[in-house]
Amino acid sequence: MDLTDVLKAIINGLVYGSVYAIIAQGYYITFITTKTMNFGQGDFVMLGSLIGLSTFTAITAAGMGVWIAFIASLLLVIVVVGISGWALEQVAIRPLRSWHSIGWILSTVAVAMIVRNVAMLIWGRDVLMAPSPFGRAILDLGILKIRYHEIFVLVGAAVIMLLLYVFLKKSLFGKALEAVAFNKDAASLMGINPRLMASIAFIIAGTLAGVGGVLVGPMVHPGAFIGLFLGLKAFAVAIIGGIENPRGIFIGGLLLGVSENLFALYSTSMKEAAAFFLILVILAVLPQGLFGKRVKEKF
Amino acid sequence: MLQVQNLSVSYGRASALHNVTMEVNEGEIVAVIGPNGAGKTTLLKAITGLLKAKEGTIRYKDNMITGTPAHKILGVGISHVPQGRQVFGDQSVEDNLILGAFSIKKEKQKIQELIEREYERFPRLKERRWQHAGTLSGGEQQMLAVSRALMSDPDFVILDEPSMGLSPIFVKQIFDTLLELKKSGKTVMVVEQLAMAALAISDRAYVLQVGEVKLHGQSQDLLRDDGLVKTYLGAASPN
Ligand SMILES: Nc1ncnc2c1ncn2[C@@H]1O[C@H](COP(=O)(O)OP(=O)(O)OP(=O)(O)O)[C@@H](O)[C@H]1O
Ligand SMILES: [Mg+2]
């Protein structure tokens, strides 16, 4: 193992980590507004990458350019998975929320299984190849070679999260969402419709999953089963970063990505253990996650 | 302006309001007083749609608003300052005010003017405009809760125990604000534990006890009634 390997592992880690972070922002946004989340978020990512892959392939096969194909597949994924997010909230979250229960955990997992099985019917059980609009082009920096797609993912994910962050913190809508999260009744007295906000939160979460899927597709071999590991990693990121802190999630994502790739230098089997090792260490020291809210007095 | 007729509300099987009939006329300050657990908050919450009425009707300006969800109540012109202030603690004072204007969606310019008006009303809020609302003192939070509710320029303001936990100076400031609101043509309904102080500033009052209206009338008359405090408000009533 030399320095190049370490550098390569770090960059790889940042790329994967930023995808985990995007997916995990979906947990964040629904959690703060409804105190619930989609435990099938990973399968929405899978749906995004497979729909993206099929659309991309179909359009390029029809002779159109890769960028038209990429943008069209991205838009289609945003619409389809965004609507799936909305539908999930209607079907699996809303009816169960009035009970004082954690029934929504089971119901979102159930929806995830259905999504996975439908995906298996459509795309089969095998892993597929997802082409990138950059093809296999590589940026050669001498000691280091990086695929253009990876740079694209890293930059794209950072931009998406920055936009999301600014949108949530600065726009009136974002303030309203935060108000609902803080106190639903008081927010409704301001004329904010909490149900609408919940729907929108799940649409955004679905969209993030879909976009994450399109980005990650060419880096993994997508198939109906990839949702489980992506969803779990993203969930780990949300816990590490502090589920109510979008910046923490971003940093937590990068941290997990980098550390699992560094672990992998020693042994590939260690790679999967990295996430859980990291969670244990961080939660032992900081039970609220890296950047979780410290307990604050309200009155 | 507001007519509540035969209103009953229950939490599960426990009844909290029973057959309450009351009204508020335009331009009045109406006080609702009564001991802890009398159902005062329940009454307000039912009016503004935070709770469902089991029976009875609520009319506002000739419109039936029974069952109107809370987020649509501001739209008809009623603003509710909830018990315990309930400011958005994670957000700045100014953001709280901006959220108060959520329903009017007017131009930025107009909202800025409204914010300035509230800062004039409570200069302390201006000093603390970027501070998280959760870090304000109780009195400042109450000012913020009142200002936030006034950002939408409501015709009718409902306040639930605005004096709760405040020192006398703050209480006076809040009560003065209610009188100002009345002067500016708004209608006010206020729930209070400080029965005497509330009677002193209100035109009419309702005494609520175990979910029923026990007594109502001109505040001045009730104020002269020595038996009132002893009979209905219990020994705990201050002032
Ligand atoms: N969420 C709830 N679930 C069950 N019972 C409730 C609930 N809220 C209030 N109650 C009950 O309804 C009754 C009336 O409560 P309410 O809060 O309206 O009283 P209040 O007059 O506002 O009292 P306070 O002066 O203490 O604020 C009380 O007996 C209370 O215990
Ligand atoms: Mg009360």
Side-chain angles (χ1 to χ4, degrees), chain A residues 22-289:
Chain A
I22 286 199
I23 302 168
Q25 300 290 353
Y27 292 128
Y28 156 73
I29 193 164
T30 64
F31 188 79
I32 63 155
T33 28
T34 64
K35 296 283 179 269
T36 64
M37 57 189 139
N38 176 11
F39 272 92
Q41 176 85 340
D43 290 277
F44 279 27
V45 178
M46 172 273 289
L47 205 56
S49 66
L50 292 180
I51 292 174
L53 154 72
S54 295
T55 318
F56 187 89
T57 319
I59 293 179
T60 45
M64 279 182 261
V66 286
W67 284 103
I68 294 178
F70 178 74
I71 290 169
S73 55
L74 192 64
L75 290 179
L76 185 70
V77 165
I78 287 174
V79 170
V80 172
V81 189
I83 291 176
S84 305
W86 172 81
L88 176 92
E89 200 268 340
Q90 297 282 320
V91 172
I93 306 265
R94 186 163 298 188
L96 294 173
R97 228 174 357 146
S98 53
W99 303 3
H100 284 283
S101 80
I102 48 169
W104 55 269
I105 295 180
L106 215 57
S107 59
T108 58
V109 169
V111 170
M113 308 250 241
I114 294 170
V115 169
R116 202 175 305 164
N117 281 300
V118 170
M120 244 151 51
L121 287 177
I122 300 176
W123 286 281
R125 288 164 173 273
D126 298 327
V127 294
L128 302 163
M129 284 289 289
S132 158
F134 292 96
R136 304 198 63 82
I138 282 173
L139 177 67
D140 196 339
L141 295 174
I143 52 160
L144 197 67
K145 295 182 177 58
I146 312 172
R147 284 175 64 185
Y148 275 105
H149 185 82
E150 293 176 339
I151 301 174
F152 176 67
V153 168
L154 197 55
V155 174
V159 169
I160 289 169
M161 275 182 274
L162 187 69
L163 289 178
L164 182 73
Y165 185 75
V166 170
F167 173 66
L168 289 180
K169 292 294 168 189
K170 301 289 173 214
S171 74
L172 180 61
F173 174 80
K175 287 169 188 175
L177 210 57
E178 204 176 331
V180 171
F182 194 82
N183 185 331
K184 203 169 89 186
D185 278 358
S188 39
L189 290 175
M190 305 296 113
I192 301 165
N193 182 350
R195 291 185 163 197
L196 184 64
M197 290 290 153
S199 290
I200 294 173
F202 273 90
I203 291 173
I204 295 176
T207 303
L208 288 168
V211 172
V214 170
L215 292 180
V216 83
M219 298 172 2
V220 296
H221 293 287
F225 292 99
I226 61 164
L228 199 60
F229 102 89
L230 285 170
L232 264 180
K233 294 276 168 70
F235 188 64
V237 164
I239 303 288
I240 291 169
I243 187 135
E244 298 191 46
N245 188 320
R247 271 180 294 181
I249 287 175
F250 178 59
I251 295 169
L254 298 184
L255 205 64
L256 176 60
V258 170
S259 52
E260 69 176 11
N261 276 281
L262 288 178
F263 271 69
L265 289 178
Y266 292 96
S267 111
T268 7
S269 54
M270 287 290 278
K271 185 178 172 184
E272 301 309 318
F276 304 99
F277 182 69
L278 205 62
I279 290 183
L280 283 179
V281 171
I282 288 175
L283 293 191
V285 184
L286 298 164
Q288 305 280 321

Side-chain angles (χ1 to χ4, degrees), chain A residues 172 175-176 178-179 182-183 185-193 197 293 296-299, chain B residues 48 50 70-71 74 80 84 86-91 95 98-100 102-103 132 141 148:
Chain A
L172 180 61
K175 287 169 188 175
E178 204 176 331
F182 194 82
N183 185 331
D185 278 358
S188 39
L189 290 175
M190 305 296 113
I192 301 165
N193 182 350
M197 290 290 153
K293 277 189 188 165
K296 224 187 269 168
E297 265 182 78
K298 264 188 224 165
F299 293 101
Chain B
T48 55
L50 288 172
H71 67 270
L74 211 53
H80 179 171
Q86 307 194 19
V87 294
F88 302 117
D90 282 354
Q91 287 168 283
D95 280 350
I98 290 172
L99 284 164
F102 182 84
S103 65
H132 275 195
Q141 287 191 5
R148 184 183 64 176

Side-chain angles (χ1 to χ4, degrees), chain B residues 41 83 160-161:
Chain B
T41 299
Q83 181 166 2
D160 197 343
E161 298 200 34

Side-chain angles (χ1 to χ4, degrees), chain B residues 104-116:
Chain B
I104 57 175
K105 305 232 169 68
K106 287 200 181 115
E107 337 76 87
K108 278 217 158 98
Q109 177 69 26
K110 174 73 183 162
I111 289 176
Q112 205 51 48
E113 277 170 32
L114 288 164
I115 290 176
E116 286 306 323

